[in-house]
Amino acid sequence: MYNILSELNKTSGVKGSMLVGLDGIIIAADLDSQIEDETVGAMSASIVANVGKAMERLKSETPSRITVEADHGKLFLADAGVGILTVIDEKDVNIGLIRLEMKNAIGKING
C-alpha cells in the first residue's frame, strides 16, 4: 500500500497522499511531515460523509470523487473501495493528471 502512495506522490504538485477508512482511521499514509495525518484523515471522512448526506437529500448518487479548492492548495478525495484515497496538492496542479494518477492508484489498491 505504501509503495502505491509513494508512487502517487511523485506526481508533480502532490504534497502527500493517504488511504483512510470511512470512520477516519488511517489505513496508510505518505504525507509531508508538516501535515497532521490524523487531522487530514478525520477531515476526509467527515467531508465524504457530509457531501454524501447532501447528495442523498438532493436524491442524487453518492459522489465517487470530491475536490476541495483553497487559496493554498487542493484536496482530492476518491472512493477507493477499501477506503478514501486522499491527495493533498499544491495550488496550481494539473487536475486532469491528478485524477488520472488517482484512478491508476485505485486500480492498484483494488487489483
Side-chain angles (χ1 to χ4, degrees):
M1 188 70 61
Y2 293 99
N3 57 339
I4 296 170
L5 297 178
S6 177
E7 190 67 28
L8 181 57
N9 289 353
K10 292 178 184 174
T11 307
S12 178
V14 173
K15 292 181 173 179
S17 59
M18 66 189 319
L19 187 63
V20 111
L22 293 176
D23 55 3
I25 294 176
I26 298 166
I27 298 169
D30 187 1
L31 298 174
D32 183 289
S33 62
Q34 296 179 354
I35 300 172
E36 295 181 30
D37 55 356
E38 290 183 7
T39 302
V40 175
M43 183 178 61
S44 297
S46 177
I47 290 169
V48 168
N50 286 318
V51 170
K53 288 176 189 174
M55 297 303 283
E56 279 180 26
R57 289 184 192 138
L58 295 171
K59 303 202 184 323
S60 186
E61 294 181 28
T62 303
S64 58
R65 289 189 317 246
I66 299 169
T67 304
V68 179
E69 296 186 34
D71 289 339
H72 299 289
K74 293 178 177 57
L75 182 69
F76 292 87
L77 309 164
D79 180 2
V82 297
I84 304 161
L85 178 60
T86 301
V87 179
I88 301 168
D89 299 284
E90 295 173 355
K91 180 180 177 182
D92 297 317
V93 295
N94 181 329
I95 294 173
L97 177 61
I98 299 298
R99 288 184 177 164
L100 176 63
E101 294 299 333
M102 288 180 72
K103 180 180 176 182
N104 292 338
I106 290 169
K108 292 175 187 175
I109 290 168
N110 294 317

